[in-house]
Amino acid sequence: MIVPLADADVGTCGGKAGVLGVLLRTGLPVPDGFVIPFSAYRDASRRAIEAGPLDPGLLEALGRALEALGDPPVAVRSSAVGEDTAAASAAGQHESTLAVYGIGAVVQAVRACWASLHSHRAVAYRDAVGHDRPAGVLAMAVLVQCHVDADVSGVMFTPTGPGGVTRIEASWGLGPSVVGGTVTPDAYRVTEGGLVTRTVADKRTRLDRRGTGLVAHDVPTAARRQPSLDDATAVRLARLGQQVAAVLGGAQDIEWAIAGRTIWLLQARPVTAAPPPPPSGASTTSAATLAGIPGSHGIATGTARVVRGPGEFARVRSGDILVCRYTDPAWTPLLRLAAGVVTEVGGVLSHAAIVARERQIPAVLGMANATTTLHDGATITIDGTTGTVTIS
């Protein structure tokens, strides 16, 4: 009923857990844990998934597995059929919970993972990318790992071809700030020879564990524009990414965290769509043309639809250009309607940017004051390759 992470494989435990099992067996730094495999999901009744008691054997096995880890705070994460593949990342589409402590809280987090397989955003994502499956084929494994209290965390994309660069995005605290696009992270480019170039962002907020919960708070002013990584650490990350790519046989999208001086690998999946290169120089702007960060290739013209929260989702119509502060995974269904997306914060390796590239719609990220500068209902043209928005 429970599979040690070191024994996990893709066929029984899903792509996320199976790949981490491969990396762990190779000796790479992956937090220890275990997996509740597909078979447990398939054996569970709908009542057990939603609220009823779990199978007593599974409950007992969960308790023993947590005790074997030392009963620490854990991360409870999805590992579904079809997730983290070369064809579709399903980035952020299923539920994950950090800082989970105790058997009761773990059971609730497992249920949330199971239930998220059929959430509105997960169904919309599978439909949009053409990877929905018959109900009998779909299944959710659940990965439980020791929680990492990260000082710095982020994402890196290893090179997609010879002579390419490793792209790294990093910010203070836990990873959801970067992958969820709620902060504009520092951006690093590391060549094969170890040459580092970086763009340091104004990182205003961070997420940390406090006891059994997560707390978002302001970054002290003096630290907002300090680099989250020094060049030596960026090179260490890039070299570790090269090891991961060599083991897995292709370019990888890797989530990582640093606690103290230890780099931990939290996830690795194939790069489904490479982001545009950063601008080669200072962008020229005017009253009619604004600049942000290139996030997803393409050009689209449409009506700017400024959305400040889920309560305004219904205002978005097919062909609109979505303009918002950031897009967390709950906003994914809007990317089926929108012809493009503009955000005020977020990086090119965030979940929303990845989904935009998979949907092949242009995205411009990190455009300061976009929701006030771009007026709702105006006609705009977005160029996701150059990172510009032109007001008609």
Side-chain angles (χ1 to χ4, degrees):
M1 284 189 173
I2 299 292
V3 178
L5 183 55
D7 297 334
D9 65 78
V10 173
T12 61
C13 298
K16 186 178 297 175
V19 165
L20 289 177
V22 169
L23 299 181
L24 193 57
R25 292 191 290 274
T26 308
L28 292 171
V30 174
D32 199 10
F34 58 87
V35 187
I36 304 168
F38 293 143
S39 58
Y41 172 86
R42 290 179 171 133
D43 289 344
S45 66
R46 174 171 289 277
R47 183 166 173 266
I49 289 173
E50 293 177 350
L54 293 188
D55 176 90
L58 176 57
L59 192 61
E60 182 180 350
L62 263 176
R64 289 198 304 268
L66 288 169
E67 186 177 355
L69 288 178
D71 201 22
V74 293
V76 180
R77 309 171 65 204
S78 66
S79 187
V81 168
E83 185 177 10
D84 290 353
T85 69
S89 66
Q93 300 314 300
H94 302 120
E95 201 65 37
S96 290
T97 310
L98 304 183
V100 184
Y101 181 74
I103 183 67
V106 169
V107 167
Q108 290 303 108
V110 168
R111 282 202 183 99
C113 266
W114 281 349
S116 70
L117 185 63
H118 296 287
S119 69
H120 177 53
R121 74 187 190 217
V123 172
Y125 173 84
R126 292 194 297 267
D127 181 61
V129 300
H131 286 277
D132 210 354
R133 291 169 167 81
V137 175
L138 286 172
M140 175 68 76
V142 180
L143 169 62
V144 180
Q145 288 179 283
C146 295
H147 175 97
V148 176
D149 285 320
D151 301 307
V152 180
S153 56
V155 183
M156 71 175 144
F157 275 27
T158 65
T160 55
V165 300
T166 298
R167 299 184 66 162
I168 301 171
E169 292 187 340
S171 192
W172 308 119
L174 300 175
S177 295
V178 177
V179 299
T182 58
V183 67
T184 299
D186 296 338
Y188 297 79
R189 291 167 63 84
V190 185
T191 67
E192 289 182 352
L195 179 65
V196 179
T197 57
R198 66 188 180 194
T199 302
V200 179
D202 184 11
K203 304 170 292 296
R204 297 188 171 214
T205 62
R206 63 180 289 162
L207 190 68
D208 294 283
R209 181 177 69 89
R210 293 289 183 267
T212 57
L214 301 181
V215 177
H217 53 96
D218 292 339
V219 174
T221 302
R224 288 179 179 177
R225 289 195 175 274
Q226 287 183 357
S228 51
L229 301 173
D230 58 31
D231 287 0
T233 304
V235 171
R236 284 177 61 208
L237 272 167
R239 289 176 178 165
L240 186 57
Q242 290 168 1
Q243 289 180 261
V244 173
V247 169
L248 300 178
Q252 296 294 305
D253 166 358
I254 300 167
E255 293 182 22
W256 52 269
I258 299 175
R261 290 190 53 81
T262 302
I263 299 174
W264 293 101
L265 300 170
L266 306 181
Q267 182 172 309
R269 60 186 171 212
V271 173
T272 54
S280 56
S283 299
T284 300
T285 61
S286 66
T289 302
L290 308 171
I293 302 169
S296 178
H297 287 291
I299 298 173
T301 298
T303 300
R305 190 62 61 211
V306 179
V307 175
R308 293 183 171 83
E312 299 182 354
F313 282 7
R315 297 178 55 246
V316 180
R317 298 289 182 265
S318 179
D320 285 351
I321 307 295
L322 175 63
V323 180
C324 52
R325 177 156 175 75
Y326 64 87
T327 59
D328 68 23
W331 296 51
T332 300
L334 297 185
L335 300 185
R336 294 181 62 196
L337 297 173
V341 59
V342 181
T343 71
E344 292 186 336
V345 297
V348 301
L349 308 186
S350 66
H351 287 158
I354 291 170
V355 173
R357 291 193 291 272
E358 291 178 349
R359 292 279 296 119
Q360 299 182 341
I361 62 173
V364 176
L365 313 171
M367 179 177 288
N369 303 315
T371 60
T372 53
T373 305
L374 301 174
H375 299 298
D376 189 77
T379 300
I380 62 175
T381 298
I382 172 176
D383 187 331
T385 303
T386 63
T388 57
V389 176
T390 302
I391 304 170
S392 299

